[in-house]
Amino acid sequence: MENITTVNGFLLLELTSIHELQPIIFMVLLIIYITDLLGNGSILVVVISEPRLYSPMYFFLGNLSCLDICYSSVTVPMLMANLLSTHKAISFLGCITQLHVFHFLGCTEAILLAIMGFDRFVAICYPLRYPVIMNPQVCLLLAAMAWITSFFYALMHSVMTARLNFCRSLKLNYFFCDVKPLLELACGDIRLNQWLIFTVTGSLAMTMCFFTFLSYFYIIGFLLFKEGNCRVLHKALSTCASHFMVVSLFYGTVGLTYLPPTSATSVIQERYVAVIHTTVTSLLNPLIYTLRNKEVKLALRR
């Protein structure tokens, strides 16, 4: 019978074992984190304070900026702290809380990106009915649905992971707490947890990704067959380009992180892609929207 350990905490994997590089990586993460806070914070303030940006698109953009601030704050401060600490530990409760918030915000972003794709579809394909379809009550309902659904989705993972027994080394082979590395330390039957990851999480991600890109296919089809004007098509798609870039970046890093690794090399790549997913993605979102959006740039200059 396997020896079950009473778990008080876990030891996290260090970003690098080369001590000379740790201060450099710390400064890079600090710059990324501060830029992330300033960029997303600026967009959030502008969306709230600028009356000309009181529209569904900017309402959801504000939600996304708020989410990105929280998303990077879940992992980056601890990554920086562990670079300067000799004891890279996290308590059991802290680990489960980090896992819950990480999946909560990740799921919310996936749903929000799908909603933003639908918003662009309605705005371009049904401009006259757009104010009625995407009225303030509907926008609030959609945003609330995204946050609430994601909370209970993440609660499923955190509760099912917290109930596991751990009988192996308590050193996580990861930079922060996530379901997959915790399952590697668990003993007993983990088939239900694995099913939740690959079936529920996979289905949710694929569904949101499908509906997001479906919106763009409808937009392209509508403009090509209804308008028949490539200039109109180019103008409409240029307004969607920033959203498309964010979606591609988000699902690209998610796919590389959660697809089953095929080799030891892909396991190492998966770890670093996860760090990029939690740091660089949130940083690039405000830059992409600001550089591609004239109204946001004008509002930021004021």
Side-chain angles (χ1 to χ4, degrees):
M1 186 174 178
E2 291 179 294
N3 181 32
I4 297 174
T5 307
T6 301
V7 178
N8 295 315
F10 298 96
L11 294 175
L12 298 172
L13 185 70
E14 55 188 6
L15 280 171
T16 177
S17 58
I18 304 172
H19 296 289
E20 291 78 9
L21 286 178
Q22 290 179 354
I24 299 173
I25 296 174
F26 176 85
M27 290 305 300
V28 171
L29 288 176
L30 181 62
I31 292 169
I32 288 174
Y33 186 56
I34 292 174
T35 307
D36 179 14
L37 295 181
L38 291 175
N40 283 296
S42 298
I43 289 180
L44 190 58
V45 169
V46 164
V47 168
I48 293 172
S49 61
E50 180 58 58
R52 292 195 306 171
L53 301 183
Y54 288 176
S55 67
M57 182 176 75
Y58 296 108
F59 169 74
F60 294 121
L61 177 58
N63 272 264
L64 185 64
S65 294
C66 177
L67 186 149
D68 280 334
I69 291 171
C70 300
Y71 200 44
S72 58
S73 299
V74 174
T75 54
V76 178
M78 182 165 289
L79 285 173
M80 292 191 296
N82 286 342
L83 283 168
L84 302 181
S85 173
T86 55
H87 189 59
K88 308 178 193 306
I90 184 171
S91 68
F92 180 79
L93 180 60
C95 187
I96 297 300
T97 301
Q98 186 181 51
L99 180 156
H100 174 81
V101 178
F102 180 74
H103 280 268
F104 165 46
L105 297 172
C107 181
T108 306
E109 181 156 1
I111 298 174
L112 273 177
L113 291 174
I115 292 171
M116 292 172 76
F118 174 74
D119 171 71
R120 292 298 84 207
F121 160 69
V122 177
I124 293 172
C125 299
Y126 301 99
L128 298 179
R129 296 169 60 186
Y130 179 69
V132 177
I133 297 173
M134 299 299 292
N135 62 69
Q137 292 77 19
V138 170
C139 292
L140 284 171
L141 185 63
L142 289 172
M145 179 271 295
W147 290 91
I148 294 171
T149 301
S150 301
F151 178 84
F152 285 105
Y153 157 79
L155 189 64
M156 170 193 71
H157 276 307
S158 56
V159 169
M160 293 303 295
T161 305
R163 63 183 284 275
L164 293 172
N165 293 316
F166 296 90
C167 53
R168 299 182 178 89
S169 167
L170 298 182
K171 185 172 182 180
L172 278 177
N173 197 24
Y174 220 59
F175 307 119
F176 55 90
C177 287
D178 201 359
V179 179
K180 284 175 66 177
L182 282 169
L183 292 184
E184 294 175 3
L185 305 182
C187 56
D189 190 356
I190 61 171
R191 285 176 297 178
L192 178 57
N193 299 77
Q194 291 174 328
W195 182 84
L196 290 174
I197 292 175
F198 296 115
T199 304
V200 178
T201 303
S203 298
L204 180 64
M206 289 178 65
T207 301
M208 292 301 106
C209 182
F210 171 76
F211 281 116
T212 303
F213 285 104
L214 184 64
S215 299
Y216 288 104
F217 286 129
Y218 269 112
I219 290 171
I220 294 171
F222 174 83
L223 293 174
L224 281 177
F225 296 109
K226 296 287 184 179
E227 299 291 336
N229 190 328
C230 290
R231 184 178 178 183
V232 174
L233 174 65
H234 179 268
K235 183 178 179 180
L237 289 182
S238 67
T239 64
C240 301
S242 55
H243 183 232
F244 185 81
M245 291 168 67
V246 169
V247 170
S248 301
L249 181 65
F250 177 78
Y251 282 108
T253 53
V254 166
L256 290 173
T257 302
Y258 288 101
L259 285 176
T262 56
S263 64
T265 304
S266 63
V267 171
I268 296 171
Q269 290 173 347
E270 175 190 302
R271 296 175 193 154
Y272 288 100
V273 168
V275 174
I276 293 171
H277 176 68
T278 57
T279 56
V280 180
T281 304
S282 298
L283 169 70
L284 291 180
N285 282 355
L287 293 177
I288 291 170
Y289 278 111
T290 303
L291 293 173
R292 299 286 306 179
N293 194 300
K294 293 180 180 180
E295 290 178 304
V296 174
K297 285 195 288 187
L298 289 172
L300 285 170
R301 289 171 183 168
R302 294 189 171 189

